[in-house]
Amino acid sequence: MAINLGGVTLGVGIILLFVMRWVMKEKKRLSALVPFILALLYGMLAALAALGSVSALGGITWIALWAGNVAGYATLVWGIGGNAPDVTRAQQLVLTDGGYVIVFLLTLVLLGLLKWGPKQSKSKILLGCLAGILIALSGNVAGLAAVPLGSGANLAGLGFTEAFG
């Protein structure tokens, strides 16, 4: 699936709002920003791992990307009067089997945090994931950040498969 400029703008807007909240409401405490940043990175990794695959995570990621694209497009085109061209990066990073293992383990951690974590971090986690999904496939700097993230997951997965495989 392609990402349009409206979807990327929505993802960056979510990041901007959480940075504003962090500065104004949370008094720049690093611990308050950690759940959002980790969820943002997870969302980017989930988009790399699952988009285009027939899987539960692929379906959820596709729905989130579609909804963000529609909302961003509507805002830029109908709300502001601009345009929302396709900004998808040409090459997608392919995860190895070990990389998929890491995505699965991180998904379990994320679900555990949503179930048993502090109540105030649930919105940070969900919106962080959405922002990560929306910016991961873009061709700009945010999209380029997904390359080392995916490579890191592949490397960690290699270590996992060597230890247990």
Side-chain angles (χ1 to χ4, degrees):
M1 175 173 216
I3 182 79
N4 66 46
L5 186 59
V8 173
T9 302
L10 180 59
V12 172
I14 291 170
I15 294 169
L16 180 63
L17 287 174
F18 270 92
V19 168
M20 289 174 59
R21 174 186 170 150
W22 179 66
V23 169
M24 295 178 182
K25 186 176 179 184
E26 296 170 339
K27 308 299 183 209
K28 298 183 187 177
R29 289 180 302 117
L30 287 179
S31 62
L33 199 56
V34 169
F36 180 76
I37 296 295
L38 293 177
L40 178 74
L41 295 173
Y42 173 79
M44 294 172 78
L45 192 57
L48 291 173
L51 276 176
S53 68
V54 179
S55 64
L57 183 60
I60 292 167
T61 306
W62 185 89
I63 289 169
L65 184 62
W66 174 82
N69 263 341
V70 170
Y73 181 88
T75 301
L76 282 183
V77 175
W78 299 326
I80 307 293
N83 294 311
D86 179 18
V87 293
T88 309
R89 186 174 60 243
Q91 291 283 0
Q92 298 296 343
L93 178 70
V94 178
L95 292 181
T96 62
D97 291 337
Y100 283 106
V101 167
I102 299 303
V103 171
F104 173 72
L105 294 175
L106 291 174
T107 302
L108 291 177
V109 169
L110 180 82
L111 291 173
L113 284 172
L114 287 171
K115 177 73 175 163
W116 301 300
K119 191 173 265 189
Q120 69 272 15
S121 66
K122 288 182 180 19
S123 64
K124 289 181 184 181
I125 291 169
L126 293 173
L127 288 171
C129 286
L130 177 61
I133 290 168
L134 291 175
I135 66 173
L137 301 179
S138 65
N140 61 13
V141 176
L144 294 177
V147 173
L149 184 63
S151 298
N154 284 341
L155 186 61
L158 178 64
F160 183 91
T161 54
E162 285 179 358
F164 294 102

